[in-house]
Amino acid sequence: MLRHVVATSLRAEVTDLLARLIRVDTTNPPGNETAAAELLRDYLAESGVACELYARVPERANLVARIPGRGDGPSLMLLSHTDVVLADPAEWSVPPFSGEVRDDEVWGRGALDMKNQAAASAVATASLAREGFEPSGDLIFAATADEEVGDGFGLSWLCEEHPDAVRCDYAINEGAGDRLELGGGVFYLCSTAEKMSAPFRLRVHGRSGHAAMPAIADNALVKAARLIERLAAFRPEPQLQPEVEAFLRAVVGEVPAPISVVERARAVHPAAAELVEPLLAPTFSPTMISASQKRNVIPALCEIVVDCRLLPGQHPERIEPMVRAVLGGDIDYELEWLAPEGGTRSPLDSPLWDAVEAFVSQSEPGAQAVPICTAGFTDSHWLREAFGTVAYGFFPARAMPPEVMAQLIHSADERVPVDDLELGVDWLRHAARAVCG
Ligand SMILES: [Zn+2]
């Protein structure tokens, strides 16, 4: 019953839509995102927005909606995913799929990751449509399935099977928006790049034997321990990427020599040092190991898996000689890269960046937008890779401190302040007008 159209404000409208969206359990696996896609479709259709569902399997639909452009101006996608991670009700103070509104916060799984932004994107799109907004290029709303697991039902599948539905010049996705107070300044992070996840496996060879007589064997586990120590002690030479340079210019006031970056950032605020440190070089974290299946058998083989994260633009083939140099030539091992993923960036000099910057300074005078490269993977990667889309992760959060948000995402009692939902709707409406108005 046109419930949202008569809502007294966009604030009330987005609060109601998010609560309803949370009540649709889209825990992935199995996902069941179709119910969420249909809810959003019905909501958008009431405001006259054209919607289309795309599904590889019926129960895991993606929704793509659009306000068609009046010409061939730039297109902008408001991107979100509808699936969420598991919630154990025993850990929560409210049922995780209740969508309860309490103390001006909406509670439930997905309230921060990322049904909040899905609801705000839908409300921004619907409200612009009701106002008769005619973008120069298409304004696209996409709510996709299967981001949290990535089994090929969501945006990667759409880019491959339905490229015309999701091709866009610009996109706003999740990834950042945190408000940081650093050394007297206020900064909003905007994610413009992502590190590449490039795990590898080392198979270390030795010779088996009875564990009571170690001298006659060659223990692969002991040899592997030496390789682990070398990796752990390795400090690759720091280098400055464009996002880090821009961050330093804003936060430190200049771009220090790579070697002193962490120290200079720490002098401003420890959080600034924590942010930039993993962005200066590839990182190598050995995380898994397996060797003998029997206590009294010395293993002839030991396998180590290393979680390796490369800077955007770095590739496993180019890094491998450096890894081998660190591991040394005295131990017999094989190195195998395991499904690298991500590692793309978008330029900082773009109309979308101008929109982020303008919104931040308008909504909080004195505050500055700063770019950041994130360590995690988001769907932005697929758009950059398929279409060269300028994709940023930006959904500003002012009411909830970033350390609280970080604790709640993928955790119990996830919730979002209504003030931040409203700020998000403002941002997305601003961006649509600025980029394709
Ligand atoms: Zn997410």
Side-chain angles (χ1 to χ4, degrees):
M1 284 312 295
L2 294 183
R3 142 164 51 168
H4 62 271
V5 177
V6 297
T8 49
S9 63
L10 297 183
R11 181 184 172 94
E13 188 168 327
V14 69
T15 304
D16 173 63
L17 182 62
L18 173 58
R20 289 193 283 144
L21 205 47
I22 287 173
R23 283 178 213 130
V24 179
D25 181 349
T26 50
T27 303
N28 185 11
N32 287 324
E33 296 93 339
T34 297
E38 287 173 346
L39 189 158
L40 290 165
R41 177 196 61 192
D42 295 349
Y43 164 79
L44 286 163
E46 284 177 40
S47 294
V49 181
C51 297
E52 190 88 48
L53 294 184
Y54 298 88
R56 205 180 113 193
V57 294
E59 61 278 16
R60 308 207 63 181
N62 301 276
L63 170 66
V64 182
R66 71 181 68 227
I67 304 179
R70 59 179 191 270
D72 52 6
S75 52
L76 171 68
M77 177 185 284
L78 309 182
L79 173 64
S80 49
H81 63 82
T82 52
D83 60 322
V84 297
V85 296
L86 190 76
D88 176 0
E91 297 175 24
W92 285 64
S93 326
V94 302
F97 297 99
S98 64
E100 193 176 316
V101 182
R102 186 195 276 188
D103 303 329
D104 236 11
E105 292 180 318
V106 185
W107 288 60
R109 175 56 86 225
L112 292 169
D113 181 14
M114 61 176 294
K115 286 180 170 173
N116 55 338
Q117 192 168 343
S121 298
V123 169
T125 305
S127 61
L128 286 166
R130 294 196 299 261
E131 291 160 19
F133 177 59
E134 291 183 352
S136 56
D138 288 4
L139 177 65
I140 306 162
F141 168 89
T144 60
D146 192 34
E147 192 274 345
E148 298 289 359
V149 175
D151 271 342
F153 296 97
L155 190 59
S156 61
W157 175 79
L158 284 168
C159 287
E160 206 141 278
E161 297 297 322
H162 299 281
D164 292 341
V166 288
R167 184 178 289 109
C168 54
D169 299 308
Y170 300 96
I172 300 167
N173 186 22
E174 64 178 335
D178 320 43
R179 176 187 183 278
L180 301 182
E181 291 180 28
L182 303 170
V186 174
F187 303 93
Y188 284 80
L189 302 181
C190 173
S191 166
T192 61
E194 290 165 19
K195 289 185 90 173
M196 174 187 268
S197 163
F200 58 86
R201 177 187 290 129
L202 296 174
R203 291 166 59 89
V204 186
H205 298 284
R207 196 174 59 251
S208 60
H210 197 291
M213 291 175 285
I216 62 164
D218 182 18
N219 192 331
L221 178 58
V222 174
K223 294 162 82 178
R226 298 219 292 276
L227 296 184
I228 292 170
E229 281 189 349
R230 289 172 194 174
L231 278 174
F234 179 41
R235 293 287 172 272
E237 195 176 330
Q239 46 176 291
L240 292 179
Q241 305 264 309
E243 301 81 26
V244 177
E245 287 182 347
F247 178 86
L248 292 166
R249 232 174 268 125
V251 174
V252 178
E254 59 167 341
V255 181
I259 197 72
S260 56
V261 160
V262 175
E263 188 191 325
R264 292 287 304 278
R266 189 168 290 123
V268 174
H269 197 284
E274 269 168 40
L275 268 173
V276 296
E277 190 165 23
L279 305 179
L280 299 173
T283 56
F284 302 92
S285 303
T287 49
M288 299 165 79
I289 190 162
S290 64
S292 181
Q293 301 303 308
K294 279 214 174 289
R295 195 253 309 144
N296 61 356
V297 176
I298 288 176
L301 177 70
C302 179
E303 291 194 351
I304 310 163
V305 175
V306 180
D307 181 294
C308 167
R309 307 282 166 140
L310 305 181
L311 298 177
Q314 290 182 330
H315 289 284
E317 319 85 72
R318 299 225 304 274
I319 293 297
E320 190 172 320
M322 180 172 87
V323 176
R324 289 193 181 273
V326 170
L327 296 172
D330 58 326
I331 293 174
D332 181 18
Y333 70 87
E334 290 151 39
L335 187 161
E336 181 198 356
W337 294 95
L338 310 167
E341 191 176 52
T344 46
R345 64 154 47 95
S346 290
L348 302 179
D349 173 20
S350 79
L352 186 54
W353 181 261
D354 297 341
V356 173
E357 224 167 30
F359 181 79
V360 166
S361 55
Q362 278 167 31
S363 65
E364 185 169 351
Q368 258 181 287
V370 286
I372 195 79
C373 170
T374 49
F377 180 88
T378 73
D379 273 344
S380 296
H381 169 72
W382 303 117
L383 293 176
R384 292 187 188 122
E385 189 182 58
F387 312 117
T389 303
V390 173
Y392 295 160
F394 188 68
F395 193 70
R398 187 162 57 201
M400 181 174 271
E403 62 276 9
V404 177
M405 274 188 353
Q407 276 167 22
L408 295 178
I409 290 176
H410 288 205
S411 187
D413 290 347
E414 185 178 352
R415 59 192 185 272
V416 64
V418 173
D419 285 347
D420 284 343
L421 282 178
E422 191 179 21
L423 182 69
V425 174
D426 281 353
W427 148 240
L428 296 163
R429 285 168 51 85
H430 166 93
R433 291 188 185 284
V435 174
C436 51

